[in-house]
Each structure stands twice: as structure tokens, then as C-alpha cells.
Amino acid sequence: MDLTNLNKDRKQRRKSSLDLGTMVYGKVPPQAKDLEEAVLGAIMLEKTAFDSAVKILKPECFYVEAHQRIFRAMQSLSTKNQPIDILTVAEELRFKEELEMVGGAYYVTKLTNAVVSSAHIEAHARIILQKFIQRELIRISGEIIGDAYEDSTDVFDLLDDAESKLFEIINNHLRNNMETLDSVLVHTIQRIEDLRNKNEDITGVPSGFATLDRVTYGWQNTDLIVLAARPSVGKTAFALNLARNAVMSATKPTPVALFSLEMSASQLVQRILSAESEIWLEKIARGKLEEHEMKQLYARGIQKLSQAPLYIDDTAALNIFELRAKCRRLKSKHNIGLIIIDYLQLMSGTSENRNSNREQEISNISRNLKALAKELSVPIIALSQLSRAVETRSAGKDGNKMPQLSDLRESGAIEQDADMVMFLYRPEYHDITQNEMGESNKGETFVRIAKHRNGSLETIKLRGLLHIQKFVEDEGDSFGGPGLPGNWKPVSDIDGDGGAKVFIQTGSKMNDIQDDDDISF
């Protein structure tokens, strides 16, 4: 039986039992009836009062059902750009066949007697909202108590369900999630105008690598980015570089949450210190540092990193529910702007899924990671292992040792859920020690963007200095596309599809070339 349907069946069975959420335990539910009347009366007296109230209240926030109907009628009038007063509200209720349900025109008129002005409408509306949230907490607590008494309840499922319901109160009633198209258009145009006026092109969290940011424009909110490679290629080192660059960015410092399921927090910090101070990792790990190296470690490493907003969690076998709970708290408390997970295949699902197919479990984890990125509106970078299929392929001149989407380990759902898939490739890892020109390619690292939902597919060339756990921009004169070093510029498009181009270097004799026929390969 499908696990999703199984969970739904269990919840339905629990709901069919005694619903403790409707019990008030001998007490009257929190309410502010007088203030509800005052707010509705003020709206009908002052034409600007509705705009103040609607930013805070929704119809369900009112305790009295008649007041809910009246507020909906006011919303309807506002949508039609009609004035909101005693006569128009009564007429709108009559049109909806709800006038008698609220107590007739007399009751609508009576509401205006409860207030003389709209001066304090926002304060009154917030009190009504507080009472509503209290009622919601009572309802949710009752449902949690009822579920907790069920023997068939999975405790991790219950914890996640409880946290989701509490978080939903914040999302639904303290923030306005639903927006009309016209309001979204206004925000979008404003964002475009803001970007036009900015000098920098990065719109998301900066990676710290100019060539990579040129393609991605930074890590974008709500995106799930998968960074995959074979073991020992440098996934963790590269991810730590991304985290360090984000928190230490001069233009846009961003708090980062790093979840390491493989290495301890101490080991990660050693790597970060090595990259920042540029002291060999081996020396830091063994503690074999000279006096000048200790001074360098303090000056360039410890002092600079001590105030960096990087939060590290090294819980082993972290499951998706624990991750989600921790990320929500970090977002609320520290406003994290980037989440990094090292690595995806070490995560576990719920206890119910432990006997299921591992591929299904990884699929569920990847779906939840994408949902979490969207819920918290932050980018999530999840590291992933590759299958051995890369090893079985021969190198060949076409470079087919470069990882492909089909090499993602254990689940094709990772490819489907991700907004971006990046592969790390180092030729020397496959014992390829020279490039096509016969030159040494030691440290040469390629970041291949194999999937990019909102951008182009390109391969970025970096230089890996793994002895200090650091990646830097490659300064070689390689042909990789826009942003080439030196004075190179494109002069033609070979196949006419905007892809492969012929490049010449300005200020040289190659400027004399007039067309593609003059170039021989």
C-alpha cells in the first residue's frame, strides 16, 4: 500500500474518534465580541478603515459567525470598488441572501453605535487576531492530544504534524501568502526596476566565484541545488567554500546553516580555517604549526571567522523531520539565507519507511527538501553521491568521464526535484594528468551545470587547492564562454544556435581575420 495513502488512512481513523479540538474544558473560548462590533462599525463610518483592518484580519478571525458574514460582504464591496457603509453592506448581504442570518438591517445599523471613530481600529483588530490565534492553539492542541492517545500513531509523524500546524498559524494569519496577480505584478516590476538600478548582477546568495555567479546570479530563494560527485573529488571542500563565501561576503553577508551527516563539526571547522588562513589542512589537523603559522591562523582565520553567522549541525543519520524542525527554528531565530546538507544519501526517512525501497525513501527526502526550500524561501544545496557508472566509462577524447544526470545515485527523483544539478569533475581523479595540449592539469576542477531550470547550462573551470581546502578562479586562457580572461571576444556562431563560437583576442594580429573561412583548425 502506498505510504502516503497509509498515513491519510491513519489520520482519518484518528479524526473519526473523539475530537478533543472542539472541547472547551468548561471555559468560554477566547473572544472579543465588543471589539469585533467596534471594528465593523468603524469600517462603515470611515472609508479608509477597511484598508487598515484587512491587512490584519480575515473573516475567520471573527468569533461571531454573523460578523464573519458581514466582513466578507465588506471584502466583496471593496473588490467591486464600491463604498462601504450601512446601506451598501446591508444591500450586499441581501444580495447574498445573508441579511436575515446576521440579524437584519437593524443589527448592521446597530454596529455603528458601538464606535465613534476609527482612530484605534488597528489596535482593536490586533486584539481580535490574538483571540483568534488563542482559539486556534486550543483547537490544534486538542487534536494533538487526541492523536497522541492513538496506539497506531508514529511519534515522528505526530511531531512533524504538530509543528506543521503551529507553523501554519504563522504563515496563514501573521503573513499574507495569497496574492492577486495585479499585486504580484507590482512587486515584480518593482524588483526589476531595483535590479536595473543596482551595479551588481547577483540577485541571490553569492557563491564567491565570479564565473559561477555569472551563470546562476547567485543561489536563488526556493531553489533546490544538487551538488554531486564521486567520493574524494572535493564535494565537502567546495560546499564549505560556498558556505564561507556566503557568510563572509563583503556585499551580501548571508547566515548559513550547514548540516553534516558525515563529518564532525570540529573537522569541518579545521577545513574552513585551512581555506581562510591558507595553512595546510594536514598541519592544522596534526597541530604541527610553527609560531608564524599560529599567528597567521589567528589573524587570517580565527579572528575573521569568529563572528561569522555559520551554524553547524553534525547530527548523524538526520531524518527529514528533524532537519525541517531545526531549519524552521534557525530561520525564525537567525534568519538563515542558505542551507547546505552533506550529504543527501546519508539522510534517513521516517521510521515507517525504513523497510521500504531505498530509492523511494530518497525520492521522499528530495521532495521534502524542495518543499522546505519553498516554505522557508531559502536556497538549499544538497550534496549527493554518484553511482559507479562514471568509473566504468572509458575516458576517450570526448571526455565522457564527465558525470551525467543518469549517474545520480539511488534515485532519479533527485534530478526531477532539483532546480539545478551541478557536477564536480577533476580529471586527475581519473588518472588523467595532462590536458589536450600536453600540459599538467593538476588541481583543474570543472563545475558542470547539467540542469538549470531558470538559466543556461555551462561548465565552469576552477582551480582546486585541496591541500588548503580552497577553490579559486582559474586564470588560464581557456575557451569556456562569456567572461573569458584577457581580451578575447566572440566573432562568429559556428552552428547558428548560440552555442559554439570562434573567439579572437583583440589587440593582436588575429584581428585581421575577416570570416570563419580564414580560420583553420
Side-chain angles (χ1 to χ4, degrees):
M1 184 178 184
D2 183 60
L3 292 173
T4 303
N5 293 332
L6 180 62
N7 288 334
K8 288 182 179 178
D9 290 342
R10 286 183 174 179
K11 287 182 179 180
Q12 288 175 355
R13 288 199 299 270
R14 292 201 292 268
K15 297 303 179 187
S16 63
S17 59
L18 179 62
D19 186 2
L20 298 180
T22 60
M23 298 178 64
V24 293
Y25 305 104
K27 297 181 180 180
V28 177
Q31 56 181 287
K33 184 179 177 182
D34 292 342
L35 291 178
E36 290 181 9
E37 293 176 351
V39 167
L40 294 175
I43 292 173
M44 288 186 286
L45 288 177
E46 301 280 349
K47 72 176 182 178
T48 60
F50 179 78
D51 294 332
S52 300
V54 77
K55 291 187 297 185
I56 302 171
L57 298 175
K58 296 180 179 180
E60 60 266 25
C61 295
F62 292 87
Y63 178 73
V64 180
E65 185 178 355
H67 296 167
Q68 294 181 14
R69 296 178 185 275
I70 293 172
F71 194 75
R72 287 195 186 95
M74 292 175 173
Q75 283 183 321
S76 179
L77 289 170
S78 177
T79 303
K80 300 174 185 177
N81 290 321
Q82 295 183 9
I84 302 174
D85 55 32
I86 297 173
L87 297 178
T88 56
V89 171
E91 186 60 32
E92 183 67 20
L93 289 168
R94 185 178 290 108
F95 176 76
K96 294 176 177 291
E97 298 182 351
E98 294 180 351
L99 183 59
E100 298 305 321
M101 296 180 186
V102 303
Y106 169 76
Y107 185 77
V108 175
T109 305
K110 180 184 173 184
L111 290 174
T112 58
N113 298 329
V115 64
V116 293
S117 75
S118 63
H120 306 294
I121 187 169
E122 289 193 16
H124 294 164
R126 287 194 176 93
I127 295 174
I128 295 172
L129 178 63
Q130 291 171 12
K131 298 298 181 181
F132 168 74
I133 292 175
Q134 286 179 275
R135 296 196 299 272
E136 283 293 281
L137 289 173
I138 292 171
R139 178 183 64 80
I140 291 171
S141 301
E143 292 177 358
I144 294 171
I145 292 171
D147 291 345
Y149 274 109
E150 292 288 337
D151 294 334
S152 60
T153 302
D154 180 270
V155 66
F156 295 108
D157 187 18
L158 179 60
L159 283 171
D160 183 66
D161 190 44
E163 188 168 21
S164 296
K165 288 178 178 177
L166 292 173
F167 201 76
E168 187 178 356
I169 294 178
I170 299 174
N171 278 343
N172 290 345
H173 304 292
L174 298 185
R175 299 173 187 166
N176 185 16
N177 289 339
M178 300 298 293
E179 296 184 82
T180 59
L181 178 59
D182 59 343
S183 64
V184 176
L185 282 172
V186 172
H187 298 324
T188 303
I189 295 299
Q190 183 62 51
R191 181 174 180 271
I192 293 172
E193 290 289 345
D194 291 341
L195 293 176
R196 286 187 63 200
N197 297 328
K198 285 184 177 180
N199 294 326
E200 68 273 9
D201 294 328
I202 301 175
T203 59
V205 179
S207 70
F209 302 101
T211 50
L212 186 57
D213 286 335
R214 174 181 56 78
V215 181
T216 64
Y217 305 105
W219 313 121
Q220 303 298 316
N221 289 341
T222 74
D223 275 5
L224 173 61
I225 302 115
V226 173
L227 173 64
R230 290 292 294 154
S232 300
V233 170
K235 292 190 304 295
T236 301
F238 187 64
L240 289 176
N241 274 238
L242 298 179
R244 182 174 59 88
N245 292 340
V247 298
M248 303 291 289
S249 173
T251 57
K252 195 175 182 181
T254 304
V256 176
L258 175 60
F259 294 89
S260 175
L261 289 79
E262 184 178 32
M263 302 176 65
S264 68
S266 177
Q267 291 172 320
L268 295 176
V269 171
Q270 288 177 15
R271 290 183 171 216
I272 296 173
L273 282 172
S274 176
E276 191 65 33
S277 65
E278 297 189 348
I279 297 174
W280 284 34
L281 175 62
E282 184 180 355
K283 286 188 174 184
I284 294 177
R286 296 174 60 193
K288 303 297 183 180
L289 298 175
E290 302 292 339
E291 185 64 26
H292 72 278
E293 291 175 325
M294 282 299 299
K295 292 180 180 179
Q296 182 178 334
L297 184 67
Y298 274 101
R300 298 179 57 181
I302 296 174
Q303 288 184 1
K304 291 179 66 176
L305 293 169
S306 60
Q307 301 299 320
L310 177 60
Y311 306 94
I312 301 175
D313 187 299
D314 59 359
T315 304
L318 188 70
N319 66 48
I320 189 63
F321 290 156
E322 293 172 326
L323 174 74
R324 188 156 49 199
K326 291 180 178 181
C327 288
R328 284 168 176 163
R329 285 192 287 270
L330 284 169
K331 178 66 175 178
S332 175
K333 189 174 181 180
H334 301 291
N335 194 29
I336 56 172
L338 174 65
I339 298 170
I340 299 177
I341 302 166
D342 182 17
Y343 59 92
L344 196 149
Q345 280 79 11
L346 290 179
M347 290 189 67
S348 61
T350 65
S351 58
E352 291 181 351
N353 294 340
R354 286 174 185 163
N355 295 325
S356 65
N357 184 284
R358 179 60 179 167
E359 183 174 341
Q360 294 177 347
E361 189 173 13
I362 292 295
S363 299
N364 181 59
I365 292 171
S366 68
R367 282 195 301 271
N368 277 278
L369 288 179
K370 173 58 184 174
L372 181 63
K374 193 172 181 181
E375 175 185 320
L376 300 183
S377 189
V378 299
I380 294 180
I381 300 177
L383 278 59
S384 175
Q385 290 279 22
L386 291 178
S387 67
R388 293 181 179 271
V390 180
E391 311 292 344
T392 61
R393 293 198 295 268
S394 59
K397 64 179 181 180
D398 57 350
N400 58 5
K401 281 288 188 181
M402 183 76 77
Q404 304 171 5
L405 288 172
S406 58
D407 297 327
L408 283 171
R409 184 177 169 187
E410 289 187 321
S411 176
I414 299 175
E415 172 190 343
Q416 297 171 14
D417 296 327
D419 297 280
M420 183 187 300
V421 178
M422 300 187 300
F423 294 117
L424 277 189
Y425 170 68
R426 285 195 299 119
E428 60 181 313
Y429 175 83
H430 300 283
D431 297 324
I432 304 172
T433 58
Q434 294 181 337
N435 59 22
E436 295 177 354
M437 306 297 292
E439 301 168 336
S440 173
N441 57 7
K442 184 173 178 61
E444 194 175 71
T445 304
F446 295 93
V447 182
R448 181 195 174 200
I449 301 178
K451 178 185 178 182
H452 194 185
R453 188 165 285 164
N454 301 307
S456 59
L457 306 180
E458 294 193 31
T459 300
I460 309 301
K461 187 178 178 182
L462 301 175
R463 184 68 56 180
L465 310 175
L466 295 185
H467 60 289
I468 59 172
Q469 297 293 293
K470 190 173 185 178
F471 288 85
V472 297
E473 298 281 358
D474 186 83
E475 297 179 355
D477 292 332
S478 58
F479 298 115
L484 295 174
N487 297 320
W488 295 92
K489 69 176 184 178
V491 294
S492 69
D493 186 347
I494 295 176
D495 52 12
D497 64 352
K501 293 180 174 63
V502 176
F503 291 84
I504 67 170
Q505 189 171 22
T506 59
S508 70
K509 293 182 179 180
M510 290 188 71
N511 281 325
D512 297 332
I513 298 173
Q514 298 299 321
D515 52 46
D516 297 351
D517 296 330
D518 295 328
I519 302 174
S520 60
F521 295 92

